[in-house]
Amino acid sequence: MYTDEEICSSIGNRESNEYGAVSPPIYQTSIFTFEDFRAFVDAQKNERENYVYTRGVNPSVQFLEEKIALLERGEKCKCFGSGMGAISAVFHSLLESGDHVLFMNNIYGPTLELAKHLSKFNIEYDVLEPDVFKLEEAIKPNTKMIYLESPGTMLMKVLDLRKVADIAKKHRIITAIDNTWSTPIYQKPLTLGIDISIHSLTKYIGGHSDVMGGAVIGQKSLIDRIFKIGHQLNGAVLSPNDAFLITRGLRTLPLRLKQHQESVKKVIEYLQTKEDVTKIYHPSIEEKDFLSEQMLGYSGLFSFVLKDPSFAKVSKFISSLQLFKIGVSWGGYESLVISPLKDNNEEILEMQGIPIGIIRLSVGLEGSELQISDLEQAFQKLKE
Ligand SMILES: *Cc1c(COP(=O)(O)O)cnc(C)c1O
């Protein structure tokens, strides 16, 4: 068994690498050519295994896929041009008209938008709170998939993955998790019985806010099906050059996560002392016994709630920050801040159970001292 650090750095650098290049080359090609027609015909019979066309398999992309599969302790991985490309591929490949999907926990917005869209094709869904005790009651005869996030979007609530997997297995339902928050370094859902793990590689794995990608990991038969439909026909292909950038990101992933974890811990400790903060959402401060086995560490994305939740105060606080830049996404080297609050959506947030004064921080790599002093000056400005 390799260590994660080994997989991220040295494992898989192909021995056959022609010039002994320590960094594997980028196969920046759309097609592969053949010696004779027979070889071409044979290769085309199985585009899953052979290099024919880059909207199939490409060595640079495959190199990354092998590493991610090893990290997740899964049989196979397929990469995509974005996280949403990966999620769409899973739904389109494994669901059909008449099926029902159960979503558990707070789910990434566009994933739920996609579920809404699929109702046009007679695929129905329900969204459940992160409460495993309600799961069995919510299962219908046509429930085909349980799709979850843990930690969930925005409120970072956690779910007992082993329990969910056990219940799903009893009912022969496929389980899929969006594992982006933890990365495979901090959570390995397949080892807890979940069937499919999904990532947006755009976040921590890429890690430098300069590339987009997605990945799906699971047993060979499932990934082969997802390849055939969701990858080949939806066409969200990861480019060889982007695969190279993500492979490069992967090399420092364990190291970066350590720094994110250390900083977020300090930032949270600091926020716990602020009377302007009423609540903090991060799995490291949740008391759940299953967490010590389930999560191997904690990344740097979390939320907190301002005591005065008015748009004016939230806006003032966010705009006062200087190190934390205002922007979507997360998981890069830079600290970021956003809030789902707009000047007209308080009721919608309340309906979703999201506190109005919520602010989300992605704690970057600048070090907790700078991050805390930026937050402190923004709290001072709130008082003015
Ligand atoms: C960003 C994100 C996605 C979508 O990934 P893209 O690469 O932006 O398409 C999916 N799930 C979660 C939890 C995300 O944060």
Side-chain angles (χ1 to χ4, degrees), residues 232-280:
Q232 297 303 77
L233 305 183
N234 282 4
V237 178
L238 182 64
S239 84
N241 196 61
D242 286 350
F244 171 85
L245 285 174
I246 296 164
T247 302
R248 182 177 157 132
L250 208 54
R251 293 195 184 108
T252 55
L253 179 65
L255 200 61
R256 285 186 285 112
L257 282 173
K258 265 189 204 148
Q259 169 87 355
H260 287 295
Q261 172 163 257
E262 197 184 299
S263 296
V264 78
K265 187 166 170 278
K266 299 235 171 78
V267 170
I268 287 173
E269 280 165 9
Y270 158 77
L271 288 175
Q272 282 168 334
T273 67
K274 302 306 289 181
E275 52 177 50
D276 283 331
V277 174
T278 56
K279 182 101 181 100
I280 300 170

Side-chain angles (χ1 to χ4, degrees), residues 34-73:
F34 295 84
E35 285 291 311
D36 56 45
F37 188 60
R38 182 79 243 169
F40 170 67
V41 169
D42 287 346
Q44 261 204 325
K45 283 180 189 155
N46 185 3
E47 288 204 34
R48 178 76 183 103
E49 304 288 337
N50 298 308
Y51 303 127
V52 176
Y53 190 45
T54 285
R55 183 167 45 70
V57 295
N58 171 290
S60 301
V61 178
Q62 227 173 9
F63 182 72
L64 173 64
E65 289 168 348
E66 282 162 12
K67 282 179 181 278
I68 297 175
L70 282 170
L71 286 175
E72 282 274 358
R73 314 288 187 254

Side-chain angles (χ1 to χ4, degrees), residues 80-87 106-111 147 149 151-153 178-181 198-203 211-214 301 329-330 360:
F80 294 83
S82 68
M84 276 316 293
I87 294 165
N106 294 93
I107 300 287
Y108 181 65
T111 305
Y147 182 101
E149 277 182 33
T153 284
D178 184 328
N179 198 29
T180 305
W181 192 93
I198 304 174
H199 290 278
S200 166
L201 303 173
T202 315
K203 314 292 163 59
V211 67
M212 299 194 78
L301 182 78
S329 193
W330 43 275
R360 190 186 77 179

Side-chain angles (χ1 to χ4, degrees), residues 111 139 144-145 161 169 186 191 223 335 338 360:
T111 305
I139 290 172
K144 180 75 155 286
M145 181 186 287
L161 299 186
K169 280 203 168 71
Y186 284 164
T191 67
I223 303 303
S335 288
I338 56 159
R360 190 186 77 179

Side-chain angles (χ1 to χ4, degrees), residues 116-186:
K116 267 182 218 152
H117 172 72
L118 290 179
S119 62
K120 284 189 185 166
F121 304 95
N122 193 31
I123 294 166
E124 41 164 10
Y125 72 94
D126 287 301
V127 183
L128 271 185
E129 282 284 295
D131 181 353
V132 281
F133 300 105
K134 291 191 187 135
L135 177 57
E136 229 153 358
E137 294 163 33
I139 290 172
K140 296 184 179 183
N142 60 339
T143 303
K144 180 75 155 286
M145 181 186 287
I146 297 170
Y147 182 101
L148 39 113
E149 277 182 33
S150 180
T153 284
M154 222 60 216
L155 301 182
M156 320 290 157
K157 286 190 255 184
V158 286
L159 266 163
D160 186 334
L161 299 186
R162 200 184 278 285
K163 273 216 179 102
V164 173
D166 286 348
I167 293 169
K169 280 203 168 71
K170 205 167 84 189
H171 294 267
R172 300 177 168 279
I173 297 168
I174 297 174
T175 44
I177 185 171
D178 184 328
N179 198 29
T180 305
W181 192 93
S182 302
T183 85
I185 306 294
Y186 284 164

